[in-house]
Amino acid sequence: MLKISAIIMASGKSSRMGVNKLFLDYQGKTFLEHSLSLSSEISFFERILVISPENLHGLKLPKDLKIIQNLEAEKGQSTSVRLGTKAASGGGYLYLTVDQPLLNRTLIESLLPAYSKEAIVFPVDKMLAPCSPIFFGNKFRTELLKVTGKNGGRAVRNRHPEAWHKIQVADPQRLIDIDTPTDYIKLVNQNF
């Protein structure tokens, strides 16, 4: 079985939201708590949290979590991808963002059968557009360590359509990410 490193990316600036998304509450848990809890429900080889120092302050985190501080978060998501990938030692990397509070174990596990060292695996929404979370086999490690800009691993994904495994999930509503106050209000009011 492939050893999978779960990389939780939690150092974004939440600029469109206006407040820090990590600490938004949904059903009694913060978005960060949800991501940490979800990742602990699955038998990952390791769990890595990439977080900015200001977000780390005062948090009580699980002891089995590898914590990487992102001192360059303002440079975009690519810094989290590089840091998480560098810290990972699995045969593949699942990148989880904290702004998908409807993700659940069933959805994550529906992606697992497609994972391999040569694959790029991601769910697609109703319009067949790529969504997070995304998995890269370690064949792509060198490229992931060189990503730049705000888009993280998207450039690596787009260079390798031959490696894609697009997964249509049973409940695509669970892929919704929360980026704006309007998104959050809809989530809280269950208008999705």
Side-chain angles (χ1 to χ4, degrees), residues 134-160:
I134 187 166
F135 169 87
F136 288 90
N138 72 356
K139 171 184 179 179
F140 304 98
R141 181 180 178 88
T142 301
E143 287 182 68
L144 291 164
L145 289 170
K146 294 177 182 176
V147 296
T148 59
K150 297 182 185 219
N151 293 326
R154 187 175 301 158
V156 178
R157 181 196 71 202
N158 291 344
R159 277 195 297 272
H160 297 283

Tab-separated table of all heavy atoms in Angstrom, residues 134-160:
chain	number	residue	atom	x	y	z
A	134	ILE	N	-6.112	17.572	-3.805
A	134	ILE	CA	-5.390	16.987	-4.939
A	134	ILE	C	-4.240	16.128	-4.423
A	134	ILE	O	-3.603	16.455	-3.418
A	134	ILE	CB	-4.888	18.081	-5.917
A	134	ILE	CG1	-4.300	17.452	-7.179
A	134	ILE	CG2	-3.919	19.023	-5.225
A	134	ILE	CD1	-4.097	18.425	-8.331
A	135	PHE	N	-4.027	15.024	-5.123
A	135	PHE	CA	-2.955	14.083	-4.795
A	135	PHE	C	-1.936	14.079	-5.927
A	135	PHE	O	-2.306	14.030	-7.101
A	135	PHE	CB	-3.518	12.669	-4.626
A	135	PHE	CG	-2.455	11.614	-4.537
A	135	PHE	CD1	-1.880	11.281	-3.328
A	135	PHE	CD2	-2.015	10.967	-5.680
A	135	PHE	CE1	-0.883	10.324	-3.248
A	135	PHE	CE2	-1.019	10.000	-5.617
A	135	PHE	CZ	-0.454	9.681	-4.389
A	136	PHE	N	-0.663	14.106	-5.556
A	136	PHE	CA	0.432	13.923	-6.506
A	136	PHE	C	1.284	12.753	-6.040
A	136	PHE	O	1.707	12.713	-4.871
A	136	PHE	CB	1.342	15.158	-6.551
A	136	PHE	CG	0.751	16.359	-7.221
A	136	PHE	CD1	0.031	17.292	-6.488
A	136	PHE	CD2	0.927	16.581	-8.579
A	136	PHE	CE1	-0.509	18.414	-7.088
A	136	PHE	CE2	0.381	17.710	-9.191
A	136	PHE	CZ	-0.334	18.624	-8.449
A	137	GLY	N	1.561	11.814	-6.941
A	137	GLY	CA	2.537	10.786	-6.631
A	137	GLY	C	3.925	11.399	-6.566
A	137	GLY	O	4.173	12.463	-7.136
A	138	ASN	N	4.842	10.723	-5.876
A	138	ASN	CA	6.172	11.334	-5.687
A	138	ASN	C	6.994	11.430	-6.968
A	138	ASN	O	8.063	12.027	-6.974
A	138	ASN	CB	6.941	10.689	-4.543
A	138	ASN	CG	7.429	9.298	-4.851
A	138	ASN	OD1	7.153	8.735	-5.912
A	138	ASN	ND2	8.140	8.721	-3.902
A	139	LYS	N	6.488	10.904	-8.079
A	139	LYS	CA	7.122	11.147	-9.382
A	139	LYS	C	7.222	12.653	-9.650
A	139	LYS	O	8.110	13.104	-10.353
A	139	LYS	CB	6.304	10.471	-10.483
A	139	LYS	CG	6.744	10.821	-11.883
A	139	LYS	CD	5.853	10.204	-12.932
A	139	LYS	CE	6.303	10.601	-14.323
A	139	LYS	NZ	5.453	9.995	-15.364
A	140	PHE	N	6.309	13.424	-9.056
A	140	PHE	CA	6.235	14.863	-9.317
A	140	PHE	C	6.911	15.699	-8.234
A	140	PHE	O	6.821	16.928	-8.248
A	140	PHE	CB	4.763	15.280	-9.471
A	140	PHE	CG	4.066	14.483	-10.536
A	140	PHE	CD1	3.285	13.388	-10.205
A	140	PHE	CD2	4.244	14.780	-11.878
A	140	PHE	CE1	2.666	12.626	-11.182
A	140	PHE	CE2	3.642	14.025	-12.868
A	140	PHE	CZ	2.847	12.938	-12.519
A	141	ARG	N	7.620	15.046	-7.330
A	141	ARG	CA	8.235	15.740	-6.199
A	141	ARG	C	9.153	16.889	-6.636
A	141	ARG	O	9.049	18.003	-6.136
A	141	ARG	CB	9.012	14.747	-5.328
A	141	ARG	CG	9.666	15.397	-4.112
A	141	ARG	CD	10.426	14.370	-3.258
A	141	ARG	NE	11.066	14.999	-2.136
A	141	ARG	CZ	10.502	15.203	-0.953
A	141	ARG	NH1	9.258	14.806	-0.742
A	141	ARG	NH2	11.163	15.787	0.017
A	142	THR	N	10.048	16.628	-7.569
A	142	THR	CA	11.002	17.648	-8.001
A	142	THR	C	10.283	18.877	-8.545
A	142	THR	O	10.643	20.010	-8.218
A	142	THR	CB	11.962	17.072	-9.051
A	142	THR	OG1	12.653	15.960	-8.473
A	142	THR	CG2	12.973	18.102	-9.510
A	143	GLU	N	9.239	18.650	-9.336
A	143	GLU	CA	8.481	19.786	-9.884
A	143	GLU	C	7.730	20.536	-8.785
A	143	GLU	O	7.664	21.767	-8.792
A	143	GLU	CB	7.491	19.308	-10.940
A	143	GLU	CG	8.157	18.891	-12.239
A	143	GLU	CD	7.139	18.463	-13.270
A	143	GLU	OE1	6.381	19.335	-13.750
A	143	GLU	OE2	7.083	17.256	-13.584
A	144	LEU	N	7.167	19.809	-7.831
A	144	LEU	CA	6.432	20.453	-6.736
A	144	LEU	C	7.357	21.303	-5.868
A	144	LEU	O	6.938	22.329	-5.334
A	144	LEU	CB	5.711	19.399	-5.890
A	144	LEU	CG	4.535	18.705	-6.587
A	144	LEU	CD1	4.143	17.439	-5.832
A	144	LEU	CD2	3.350	19.645	-6.737
A	145	LEU	N	8.589	20.890	-5.744
A	145	LEU	CA	9.559	21.650	-4.944
A	145	LEU	C	9.987	22.941	-5.633
A	145	LEU	O	10.647	23.778	-5.019
A	145	LEU	CB	10.786	20.792	-4.637
A	145	LEU	CG	10.564	19.655	-3.645
A	145	LEU	CD1	11.776	18.734	-3.609
A	145	LEU	CD2	10.224	20.191	-2.257
A	146	LYS	N	9.597	23.112	-6.903
A	146	LYS	CA	10.006	24.298	-7.668
A	146	LYS	C	8.846	25.226	-8.009
A	146	LYS	O	9.041	26.208	-8.711
A	146	LYS	CB	10.681	23.857	-8.971
A	146	LYS	CG	11.996	23.128	-8.755
A	146	LYS	CD	12.569	22.669	-10.080
A	146	LYS	CE	13.860	21.894	-9.880
A	146	LYS	NZ	14.371	21.360	-11.155
A	147	VAL	N	7.623	24.931	-7.520
A	147	VAL	CA	6.491	25.779	-7.891
A	147	VAL	C	6.657	27.184	-7.323
A	147	VAL	O	7.291	27.387	-6.290
A	147	VAL	CB	5.135	25.178	-7.446
A	147	VAL	CG1	4.860	23.870	-8.161
A	147	VAL	CG2	5.051	25.013	-5.950
A	148	THR	N	6.093	28.156	-8.033
A	148	THR	CA	6.148	29.550	-7.603
A	148	THR	C	4.768	30.182	-7.780
A	148	THR	O	3.916	29.641	-8.492
A	148	THR	CB	7.169	30.360	-8.426
A	148	THR	OG1	6.805	30.302	-9.817
A	148	THR	CG2	8.580	29.835	-8.246
A	149	GLY	N	4.568	31.315	-7.138
A	149	GLY	CA	3.341	32.075	-7.330
A	149	GLY	C	2.193	31.659	-6.429
A	149	GLY	O	2.374	30.936	-5.460
A	150	LYS	N	1.006	32.110	-6.807
A	150	LYS	CA	-0.175	31.947	-5.964
A	150	LYS	C	-0.919	30.643	-6.187
A	150	LYS	O	-1.798	30.294	-5.418
A	150	LYS	CB	-1.130	33.117	-6.190
A	150	LYS	CG	-0.524	34.426	-5.788
A	150	LYS	CD	-1.485	35.565	-5.957
A	150	LYS	CE	-0.749	36.853	-5.644
A	150	LYS	NZ	-1.537	37.793	-4.922
A	151	ASN	N	-0.625	29.914	-7.245
A	151	ASN	CA	-1.459	28.781	-7.626
A	151	ASN	C	-0.987	27.418	-7.151
A	151	ASN	O	-1.563	26.408	-7.536
A	151	ASN	CB	-1.635	28.755	-9.140
A	151	ASN	CG	-2.440	29.930	-9.631
A	151	ASN	OD1	-3.353	30.387	-8.947
A	151	ASN	ND2	-2.102	30.440	-10.793
A	152	GLY	N	0.016	27.355	-6.345
A	152	GLY	CA	0.433	26.062	-5.810
A	152	GLY	C	0.825	25.073	-6.883
A	152	GLY	O	1.612	25.371	-7.773
A	153	GLY	N	0.232	23.877	-6.818
A	153	GLY	CA	0.597	22.799	-7.736
A	153	GLY	C	-0.164	22.784	-9.042
A	153	GLY	O	0.012	21.867	-9.851
A	154	ARG	N	-0.995	23.784	-9.292
A	154	ARG	CA	-1.816	23.797	-10.511
A	154	ARG	C	-0.969	23.692	-11.779
A	154	ARG	O	-1.328	22.984	-12.709
A	154	ARG	CB	-2.662	25.064	-10.548
A	154	ARG	CG	-3.661	25.076	-11.681
A	154	ARG	CD	-4.576	26.276	-11.620
A	154	ARG	NE	-5.287	26.266	-10.350
A	154	ARG	CZ	-5.819	27.339	-9.792
A	154	ARG	NH1	-5.711	28.516	-10.366
A	154	ARG	NH2	-6.463	27.243	-8.644
A	155	ALA	N	0.167	24.394	-11.812
A	155	ALA	CA	1.012	24.351	-13.014
A	155	ALA	C	1.551	22.945	-13.249
A	155	ALA	O	1.605	22.475	-14.390
A	155	ALA	CB	2.160	25.353	-12.898
A	156	VAL	N	1.927	22.268	-12.178
A	156	VAL	CA	2.419	20.885	-12.307
A	156	VAL	C	1.287	19.996	-12.822
A	156	VAL	O	1.479	19.195	-13.739
A	156	VAL	CB	2.973	20.368	-10.964
A	156	VAL	CG1	3.432	18.918	-11.086
A	156	VAL	CG2	4.110	21.250	-10.460
A	157	ARG	N	0.120	20.138	-12.232
A	157	ARG	CA	-1.045	19.359	-12.689
A	157	ARG	C	-1.298	19.601	-14.172
A	157	ARG	O	-1.467	18.651	-14.944
A	157	ARG	CB	-2.287	19.766	-11.887
A	157	ARG	CG	-3.538	18.978	-12.274
A	157	ARG	CD	-4.800	19.622	-11.769
A	157	ARG	NE	-5.063	20.843	-12.528
A	157	ARG	CZ	-5.812	21.842	-12.105
A	157	ARG	NH1	-6.368	21.804	-10.912
A	157	ARG	NH2	-6.003	22.900	-12.867
A	158	ASN	N	-1.303	20.846	-14.587
A	158	ASN	CA	-1.638	21.173	-15.973
A	158	ASN	C	-0.598	20.688	-16.977
A	158	ASN	O	-0.918	20.457	-18.141
A	158	ASN	CB	-1.862	22.673	-16.119
A	158	ASN	CG	-3.124	23.129	-15.415
A	158	ASN	OD1	-3.986	22.325	-15.071
A	158	ASN	ND2	-3.228	24.422	-15.180
A	159	ARG	N	0.650	20.523	-16.541
A	159	ARG	CA	1.703	20.008	-17.434
A	159	ARG	C	1.588	18.509	-17.667
A	159	ARG	O	2.235	17.977	-18.577
A	159	ARG	CB	3.086	20.309	-16.849
A	159	ARG	CG	3.605	21.691	-17.147
A	159	ARG	CD	5.097	21.814	-16.878
A	159	ARG	NE	5.484	21.606	-15.505
A	159	ARG	CZ	5.532	22.560	-14.566
A	159	ARG	NH1	5.195	23.797	-14.855
A	159	ARG	NH2	5.920	22.269	-13.348
A	160	HIS	N	0.802	17.799	-16.872
A	160	HIS	CA	0.804	16.332	-16.943
A	160	HIS	C	-0.598	15.732	-17.055
A	160	HIS	O	-0.992	14.891	-16.235
A	160	HIS	CB	1.521	15.766	-15.712
A	160	HIS	CG	2.958	16.152	-15.643
A	160	HIS	ND1	3.915	15.543	-16.421
A	160	HIS	CD2	3.584	17.111	-14.920
A	160	HIS	CE1	5.090	16.103	-16.161
A	160	HIS	NE2	4.915	17.051	-15.263
